[in-house]
Amino acid sequence: MKTSIFLKALTGVLMVVLLIPALNSCGNKNRAITPPVNTPDPIEDEIAIVTLPEEAEEIWIEEEFLSPPPPPVPVIVEDLYVVEEDILYDEIIFSTSESIHQAMVPEPVNTEEYTSMTENGFLLTSRNPLSTFSIDVDAVSYSNMRRFINMGQIPPTDAIRTEELINYFSYDYPAPTGQHPVYISTETGSCPWNSQHRLVKIGLKAREIAKEDLPPSNLVFLIDVSGSMSGPTRLDLVKSSLKLLVNNLREQDRVAIVVYASQVGEVLASTPGNEKEKIISVIDKLYASGSTNGGEGIQTAYRIAEQNFMKEGNNRIILCTDGDFNVGVSSPAELEKLIEAKRKSGVFLTVLGYGMGNYKDNRMQVLAEKGNVNHAYIDNIQEANKVLVQEFSGTLYTVAKDVKLQIEFNPAKVQGYRLIGYESRLLKDEDFNNDTKDADHTVTALYEVIPAGIETNMLGSVDPLKYQNEQKENIVSINPSEELMTIKLRYKQPDGDVSSKMEVAVVDNLSANLSADFRFASAVALFGQLLRKSSFVAEGSYKDVHTLASTGITAQNDPQGYRKEFIRLVEVVEGLN
């Protein structure tokens, strides 16, 4: 009875509110049309502070997130009918002539955001013998770059993270067979963009789990349904992506769905993975409207994931968004604080980015770097299939967490070095042995090395010190060795807090017999640096990228055609330049 009275009263208020503008418009058929102003709705404000009974809350969730949106209202300007679309454009400008009425729609403004980044430079080995960084499984920058190129545009410099371009591709690394869940492999060859330098490729291979042996999953789909997500490359693509994943779930897997816009709601309680029609039915009903309360959405998703926690399972939130948070916790600093508080919960996070024109890469990177997170950008349904189906176990299951590398260079062999990419993942040397400093994991990293004895101007110099005697750099090795470097790796088990360490020494045998993977990875690295307009590329062009990448493709290493697609993208950029 109380629920019925509340809904009747609410309906009466809404009828009055809707009737007043209609009455005011009578007799003003030819008045000027003023673009609608987004003012707070007093009715929405009232609903937000009322504690609803359980039945009324279910009705609110159904109407807020799952009911089809009302049809757009035609605005009449004499003979001209224009449908209002305030989620697409801020205003509609009209111009008329004696016989023609035209609606002139301004071009959408690009409000994408990327974090500014300074490229890693060369370091002098005698002063900086250690290089320490956390390694990252993300490949988001590649698909985002592809989106720009397919639109006939050169990507913004800060949209290019070279290590993510390299790690988009699979490489043929030996699988681990011993006690460690990761295997380290290395290869050294001539640097394609500076023939006097050497290039060292470090590859990691995690233990693979057969699909039938995967542990059960407790998944929460956290879906952004705010107004900015409207469109075929946003919410429509999210729906298609998640349906691909749902079709691969098993009976022992469970899915809950949380959505957020101005409000946040759980539209599907945790449901077995074999109830596919029920899950897909909820996904199909979602539509985009309102502002973006992403912070509260994340908190709600973690709460629901923790309520349904599987002790021996894979507990993960899959966030689908354009990153355009604008209500509540929304700044990169606030998001960092929120996600760091959640990374100890045992719930992992997968961030899937969607959309163009308003994509907030900087906010997505904060989530990816500060939590137990992997990150992908979905620019088309083929990429969704790659991430959520073909690479299902690698995307949604973790075999080692908080993986970090520390490289010790031998100054007798290496005069200087620089790490290609990973600018936002650098760690202090002492953090390598500190288990409270967390990190992520990846497959490939590249170092450009300046051999000892090579004349170079890339290491810089400083004036002699005035207040102390500076010893000349006569390196006396306490351990004479032919080794170029030693690689140390630390990792934790997915449910562990104490790290394990493994080491591999690297010797440069000066072989010219390089693998197809080495040639292809170095071509991608050159491409990324050219797009970033790197000052460290002394030699090299897009034509060189094309030639080198072509030698890195075989019938065995490109079954899906991703490497061939890369060459096509290089050809397009050549034309644009």
Side-chain angles (χ1 to χ4, degrees):
M1 174 64 70
K2 290 181 180 179
T3 301
S4 177
I5 293 172
F6 172 82
L7 291 175
K8 287 180 179 178
L10 179 59
T11 303
V13 174
L14 286 171
M15 289 177 65
V16 172
V17 171
L18 293 172
L19 184 58
I20 290 172
L23 291 173
N24 288 340
S25 65
C26 293
N28 293 299
K29 179 180 178 182
N30 295 318
R31 67 182 176 87
I33 300 299
T34 303
V37 179
N38 293 325
T39 57
D41 188 337
I43 300 303
E44 288 187 2
D45 291 343
E46 184 177 345
I47 293 172
I49 62 174
V50 173
T51 301
L52 301 179
E54 184 176 349
E55 299 90 343
E57 183 176 357
E58 291 176 358
I59 294 172
W60 170 78
I61 289 176
E62 177 74 19
E63 293 183 347
E64 179 77 10
F65 299 114
L66 300 180
S67 299
V73 179
V75 177
I76 303 176
V77 184
E78 298 183 353
D79 309 359
L80 177 67
Y81 289 78
V82 179
V83 176
E84 287 186 329
E85 291 284 356
D86 58 357
I87 60 172
L88 295 179
Y89 304 102
D90 291 329
E91 60 179 343
I92 297 179
I93 303 172
F94 299 101
S95 67
T96 62
S97 66
E98 293 183 14
S99 57
I100 300 176
H101 301 286
Q102 294 178 324
M104 299 172 60
V105 182
E107 289 292 326
V109 177
N110 189 323
T111 60
E112 298 194 6
E113 296 178 7
Y114 299 90
T115 302
S116 181
M117 182 174 56
T118 301
E119 189 177 20
N120 289 332
F122 281 97
L123 297 175
L124 192 65
T125 304
S126 58
R127 294 177 181 169
N128 302 278
L130 298 176
S131 173
T132 308
F133 65 102
S134 60
I135 51 180
D136 183 354
V137 75
D138 299 340
V140 60
S141 184
Y142 184 89
S143 50
N144 192 30
M145 171 201 73
R146 178 177 60 202
R147 184 250 302 187
F148 277 102
I149 296 174
N150 283 336
M151 293 170 60
Q153 301 174 19
I154 299 296
T157 299
D158 289 325
I160 301 300
R161 292 183 287 272
T162 304
E163 76 279 7
E164 295 185 8
L165 306 191
I166 297 167
N167 282 298
Y168 182 81
F169 301 94
S170 299
Y171 302 97
D172 185 20
Y173 298 139
T177 56
Q179 64 178 16
H180 298 293
V182 181
Y183 184 86
I184 304 173
S185 59
T186 64
E187 190 173 7
T188 305
S190 178
C191 180
W193 53 88
N194 194 320
S195 55
Q196 288 190 312
H197 295 178
R198 305 292 287 170
L199 194 64
V200 181
K201 180 167 71 72
I202 301 171
L204 306 181
K205 176 74 169 181
R207 181 174 294 128
E208 295 181 348
I209 306 175
K211 187 174 180 179
E212 58 271 18
D213 297 329
L214 290 172
S217 289
N218 161 38
L219 302 178
V220 178
F221 295 168
L222 176 57
I223 306 173
D224 181 351
V225 294
S226 63
S228 66
M229 285 291 288
S230 178
T233 62
R234 296 178 175 85
L235 186 56
D236 292 350
L237 184 54
V238 169
K239 294 179 181 181
S240 301
S241 303
L242 293 179
K243 284 188 277 189
L244 288 174
L245 175 56
V246 170
N247 286 330
N248 281 273
L249 296 179
R250 306 157 300 175
E251 181 178 1
Q252 60 266 40
D253 302 322
R254 300 188 69 86
V255 174
I257 301 178
V258 175
V259 296
Y260 65 90
S262 305
Q263 307 292 335
V264 177
E266 182 185 23
V267 295
L268 179 71
S270 186
T271 301
N274 63 337
E275 297 185 21
K276 302 184 189 305
E277 290 185 7
K278 180 179 180 180
I279 300 169
I280 290 174
S281 175
V282 173
I283 293 173
D284 280 337
K285 291 179 182 177
L286 297 176
Y287 70 95
S289 178
S291 54
T292 314
N293 193 353
E296 186 179 343
I298 292 171
Q299 291 173 318
T300 302
Y302 271 102
R303 175 174 56 79
I304 291 171
E306 290 164 5
Q307 287 173 354
N308 299 288
F309 193 85
M310 294 180 176
K311 187 174 180 181
E312 302 299 328
N314 169 46
N315 299 278
R316 185 173 295 273
I317 297 166
I318 300 177
L319 169 60
C320 303
T321 180
D322 59 7
D324 192 8
F325 303 158
N326 52 37
V327 173
V329 175
S330 57
S331 72
E334 290 173 320
L335 290 169
E336 178 177 340
K337 184 177 180 181
L338 169 63
I339 206 67
E340 282 187 333
K342 295 295 184 181
R343 69 177 295 144
K344 299 293 185 184
S345 66
V347 177
F348 292 82
L349 176 64
T350 292
V351 179
L352 303 181
Y354 290 82
M356 56 188 69
N358 68 326
Y359 182 63
K360 301 298 186 282
D361 180 83
N362 55 345
R363 289 170 172 78
M364 310 289 259
Q365 281 298 107
V366 168
L367 296 176
E369 292 177 5
K370 302 303 178 182
N372 287 323
V373 179
N374 54 19
H375 181 195
Y377 177 79
I378 309 299
D379 58 330
N380 55 46
I381 194 63
Q382 290 79 17
E383 184 67 13
N385 188 65
K386 177 180 184 289
V387 171
L388 296 175
V389 179
Q390 294 174 4
E391 299 174 357
F392 180 77
S393 60
T395 301
L396 299 185
Y397 293 86
T398 301
V399 297
K401 70 176 183 180
D402 303 341
V403 184
K404 45 193 171 183
L405 284 176
Q406 185 169 81
I407 316 299
E408 180 180 356
F409 290 92
N410 180 0
K413 296 292 183 181
V414 177
Q415 183 180 178
Y417 63 88
R418 73 179 182 102
L419 174 62
I420 298 173
Y422 296 95
E423 284 83 2
S424 63
R425 297 288 187 166
L426 301 179
L427 296 173
K428 296 178 181 178
D429 293 337
E430 56 269 26
D431 288 345
F432 181 73
N433 293 317
N434 185 348
D435 281 350
T436 65
K437 296 292 184 179
D438 292 335
D440 293 317
H441 70 283
T442 191
V443 291
T444 303
L446 295 177
Y447 276 95
E448 182 179 355
V449 168
I450 304 176
I454 297 293
E455 290 188 10
T456 180
N457 59 0
M458 291 190 173
L459 291 170
S461 62
V462 296
D463 293 337
L465 298 179
K466 181 177 180 181
Y467 301 108
Q468 57 182 299
N469 292 326
E470 185 177 16
Q471 295 181 347
K472 297 295 182 183
E473 294 166 359
N474 294 322
I475 304 299
V476 178
S477 177
I478 61 173
N479 181 20
S481 173
E482 292 300 312
E483 295 171 0
L484 198 68
M485 62 176 74
T486 294
I487 302 169
K488 294 178 284 186
L489 181 146
R490 280 195 178 277
Y491 68 91
K492 298 175 188 173
Q493 297 292 342
D495 58 351
D497 295 320
V498 179
S499 68
S500 301
K501 185 177 80 167
M502 53 192 298
E503 293 188 10
V504 172
V506 179
V507 175
D508 185 359
N509 57 17
L510 302 178
S511 173
N513 185 21
L514 300 173
S515 69
D517 278 350
F518 184 95
R519 296 192 296 272
F520 189 82
S522 60
V524 178
L526 176 55
F527 186 61
Q529 292 174 98
L530 289 172
L531 288 175
R532 286 194 55 81
K533 301 177 175 61
S534 172
S535 60
F536 299 107
V537 177
E539 309 158 12
S541 65
Y542 291 115
K543 183 177 180 180
D544 295 327
V545 173
H546 189 289
T547 301
L548 188 59
S550 298
T551 68
I553 300 178
T554 68
Q556 292 74 35
N557 67 13
D558 193 33
Q560 304 296 333
Y562 298 133
R563 297 192 182 195
K564 292 184 179 71
E565 180 196 48
F566 172 76
I567 290 179
R568 181 187 64 79
L569 295 175
V570 174
E571 291 171 346
V572 173
V573 172
E574 281 188 276
L576 293 175
N577 279 275

